């Protein structure tokens, strides 16, 4: 599927979930909600992507391998031979090749998981709050650095994630689903005026992955 051409106009910020209506919850309850968004078996997910920072537009394809409960490898290539990169997330550890890719592309580790429809709570959680309105549940999580991550689920499926710092939304991801599965993710990094669109073009179960795929090549 061809992604729409992106414009350099700054996107609008979706309002951060209001304080009213939230009740205190626990890391255990948050973790249980997150576990329900993880696929039951290993998967290979095919994607196409397009990014725009107002100065340069890039596009390409890639594949992500998911091994429940907490391992993910994404191999990404830009079109026209502009480069390849690998990102490996295992537990709370993130590494990439080239090494700077993690900080340049994924300053928020939740983004890659969320783009595939998976809720991944941040580390260093201090407080967890929950708001429930019918099938819609919003989790607001504050970490030791004072950053707030807001996960919105509808009928148990992740539909959006926002990051707030200093009272402002700094990044935001929204998902579109079809037949219950994530099909399209739109990520905006307001600090860098970066927009990233990811289209899931294929999804298939997989046998066990060889151990070496969880290691970067020397």
């Amino acid at each position: 599927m061809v992604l729409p051409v992106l414009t350099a106009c700054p996107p609008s910020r979706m309002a951060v979930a209001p304080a009213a209506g939230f009740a205190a919850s626990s890391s255990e309850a948050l973790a249980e909600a997150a576990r329900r968004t993880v696929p039951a078996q290993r998967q290979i997910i095919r994607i196409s992507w397009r990014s725009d920072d107002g100065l340069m537009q890039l596009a390409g394809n890639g594949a992500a391998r998911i091994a429940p409960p907490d391992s993910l490898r994404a191999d990404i290539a830009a079109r026209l031979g502009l480069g390849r990169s690998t990102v490996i997330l295992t537990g709370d550890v993130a590494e990439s090749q080239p090494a700077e890719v993690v900080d340049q592309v994924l300053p928020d580790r939740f983004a890659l998981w969320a783009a595939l429809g998976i809720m991944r709570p941040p580390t260093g959680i201090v407080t967890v709050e929950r708001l429930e309105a019918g099938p819609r549940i919003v989790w607001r999580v504050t970490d030791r650095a004072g950053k707030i991550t807001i996960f919105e689920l509808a009928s148990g499926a992740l539909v959006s994630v926002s990051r707030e710092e200093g009272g402002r939304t700094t990044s935001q991801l929204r998902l579109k689903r079809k037949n219950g599965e994530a099909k399209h993710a739109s990520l905006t990094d307001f600090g860098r005026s970066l927009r990233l669109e990811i289209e899931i073009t294929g999804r298939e179960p997989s046998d066990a992955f060889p151990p070496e795929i969880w290691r970067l090549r020397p």
Side-chain angles (χ1 to χ4, degrees):
M1 183 179 294
V2 177
L3 293 177
V5 175
L6 303 175
T7 67
C9 299
S12 60
R13 302 190 185 204
M14 183 174 66
V16 174
F22 277 93
S25 188
S26 66
S27 296
E28 292 77 15
L30 176 71
E32 178 58 31
R35 277 193 291 272
R36 296 193 191 106
T37 68
V38 178
Q41 58 185 338
R42 291 174 291 271
Q43 289 186 349
I44 299 176
I45 298 176
R46 312 290 178 185
I47 66 169
S48 62
W49 61 272
R50 184 182 295 271
S51 68
D52 182 7
D53 64 1
L55 298 175
M56 180 181 294
Q57 293 185 354
L58 294 173
N61 299 291
R65 293 169 173 81
I66 298 176
D70 62 358
S71 295
L72 185 158
R73 174 182 172 130
D75 294 283
I76 307 297
R79 293 174 189 159
L80 304 177
L82 294 178
R84 293 176 177 272
S85 60
T86 297
V87 178
I88 298 175
L89 306 178
T90 50
D92 295 326
V93 177
E95 53 185 345
S96 66
Q97 200 171 51
E100 63 272 15
V101 169
V102 165
D103 291 327
Q104 287 181 351
V105 181
L106 289 172
D108 291 316
R109 306 291 187 261
F110 71 79
L112 183 53
W113 287 105
L116 303 177
I118 299 170
M119 178 179 170
R120 181 75 179 168
T123 59
I125 293 175
V126 175
T127 62
V128 177
E129 298 168 286
R130 183 176 183 271
L131 181 153
E132 184 172 356
R136 175 177 177 262
I137 295 178
V138 181
W139 295 88
R140 187 169 62 185
V141 185
T142 304
D143 64 21
R144 285 191 294 265
K147 296 179 181 179
I148 297 174
T149 307
I150 296 171
F151 299 94
E152 181 180 353
L153 294 90
S155 301
L158 185 67
V159 294
S160 72
V161 189
S162 298
R163 170 60 60 83
E164 181 185 359
E165 298 180 49
R168 294 178 61 82
T169 303
T170 56
S171 58
Q172 181 179 99
L173 182 143
R174 304 187 200 192
L175 285 169
K176 292 181 180 178
R177 292 178 172 270
K178 183 177 180 180
N179 298 326
E181 292 188 338
K183 289 294 184 180
H184 181 92
S186 178
L187 171 66
T188 304
D189 184 321
F190 295 103
R192 296 183 296 166
S193 299
L194 173 68
R195 181 79 174 267
L196 175 65
E197 303 280 347
I198 296 175
E199 194 84 17
I200 295 178
T201 58
R203 190 188 299 262
E204 61 194 65
S206 175
D207 294 331
F209 299 119
E212 56 266 25
I213 78 160
W214 307 114
R215 299 190 293 270
L216 294 172
R217 293 181 179 177

